[in-house]
Amino acid sequence: MKRTFLSIIAFLCVFAQSVSAQTAGSSASFADAAEVTVRFYDRTLYYPGKTEENPVYVHITIANNGTDTLRFKLADDRMFSIDFVAFNVKNTQLPQTQTLRRKRTTNQTVYFREISLEPGEEYSFVENVKDYLEIADPSIYYLELKFYPELYRYSQNYAQSNRLSLEIRPSPSAAASSSLPVEASSASLLQPESISPDRVVEQTIIARQKGLWDQYFLYIDLEELLKRDPGRSRRYNNASASDRSEMLAAFKAELMQNRIDNDIVAVPARFQIDTTTYSQTEGTVRVTEWFNYKNFAEKKRYTYYVRQRDGIWQIYNYTVDNLGTESL
């Protein structure tokens, strides 16, 4: 009887070791065959907080680089399949959101799909980093992703992604900056700088508020603004080089006298930059601007279109949408 009992114990030990070895082999095979990559999706300027208004969307891809079929589980709620880890330059780790912690500590059913990838195939999805991490302060963060092929709740084995550098900028104030980097009397210093699209728009609006025309035109593509008018554009394209120069000078003078394109030279009482989206060469900056009258303020949404040339961003087009009025 004692010998039988010892035999059973020995069998159970061997079985447990076998199961453990299979599990470790399964995890190792996933890590060996899978490549998990993360990159920014629809990259824009990122600010602290504002999870919905200013999300940090990233594109996540799981690729099968092996020679066999790659199988893994993917939760319907991605919080049970992935983690984001971010450190600042002082090696301080960002905390997880309360939503993430609450979900993972609440007893609930986790629904998932079994996904199979053949060699060379990949699977992608998009997530908002701010749903996972509390980003409260501006800084440079180093962001990585952990993917759990057997779900977070049931296994702590994971595959790690590449690293991204995430810049969180200070939140733009509603009144924006009160000063410009150059003075009106220092004309020799008036050279465009390699600054971001939102700063280009911000400095242009502030220059207009202060009546500093030289600074105002510093980041304006006059030629493209002139061509917004089909008639002017046709005459400009058919003109000689000297005539074009005179047309641009006349166009600039008319803008300064508020004779044409009143929207672009209108002076807002205040403004706030809402969103900024840009690629390597093109971008848009959306700004809410308020124009005060006697008893009310008119609210408008400006969309400035910017383009980069020789490292300098310039405003070359714009649209305006009326958002109604507010009482003063």
Side-chain angles (χ1 to χ4, degrees), residues 73-140:
K73 298 181 177 74
L74 185 66
D76 293 346
D77 186 339
R78 304 287 195 257
M79 288 187 175
F80 293 99
S81 282
I82 63 173
D83 258 335
F84 288 101
V85 180
F87 296 86
N88 63 14
V89 292
K90 297 181 180 180
N91 208 34
T92 301
Q93 185 173 347
L94 286 178
Q96 295 177 330
T97 62
Q98 291 185 0
T99 301
L100 178 61
R101 295 196 298 269
R102 184 173 60 251
K103 283 186 177 182
R104 288 183 173 175
T105 55
T106 301
N107 187 19
Q108 60 178 296
T109 302
V110 178
Y111 297 96
F112 63 89
R113 290 177 289 163
E114 292 271 5
I115 294 180
S116 298
L117 296 179
E118 295 303 318
E121 292 183 341
E122 59 184 37
Y123 184 89
S124 300
F125 53 94
V126 176
E127 286 293 301
N128 180 6
V129 175
K130 287 185 178 179
D131 287 335
Y132 295 78
L133 298 176
E134 295 281 0
I135 305 177
D137 300 308
S139 184
I140 300 292

Side-chain angles (χ1 to χ4, degrees), residues 215-229:
Q215 282 117 323
Y216 174 77
F217 287 113
L218 199 59
Y219 297 101
I220 294 285
D221 189 333
L222 273 177
E223 186 176 49
E224 290 299 320
L225 284 187
L226 180 148
K227 290 181 178 180
R228 281 166 48 91
D229 183 315

Side-chain angles (χ1 to χ4, degrees), residues 11 14 24 69 85 97 113 163 174 178-179 185 225 239 274 304 310:
F11 173 77
V14 172
T69 302
V85 180
T97 62
R113 290 177 289 163
R163 175 178 291 185
S178 60
S179 63
S185 59
L225 284 187
D274 299 320
Y304 296 93
D310 299 324

Side-chain angles (χ1 to χ4, degrees), residues 221-285:
D221 189 333
L222 273 177
E223 186 176 49
E224 290 299 320
L225 284 187
L226 180 148
K227 290 181 178 180
R228 281 166 48 91
D229 183 315
R232 268 202 189 91
S233 178
R234 187 168 52 253
R235 292 193 299 272
Y236 183 84
N237 290 333
N238 293 329
S240 64
S242 59
D243 288 341
R244 286 184 179 184
S245 180
E246 291 180 3
M247 289 179 68
L248 285 175
F251 179 69
K252 183 176 181 179
E254 288 181 294
L255 285 174
M256 295 172 65
Q257 295 170 20
N258 291 340
R259 292 180 179 177
I260 53 174
D261 285 357
N262 291 334
D263 284 326
I264 192 64
V265 293
V267 183
R270 59 189 177 98
F271 69 95
Q272 68 177 25
I273 296 178
D274 299 320
T275 60
T276 304
T277 305
Y278 63 99
S279 63
Q280 292 290 337
T281 57
E282 295 275 345
T284 57
V285 181

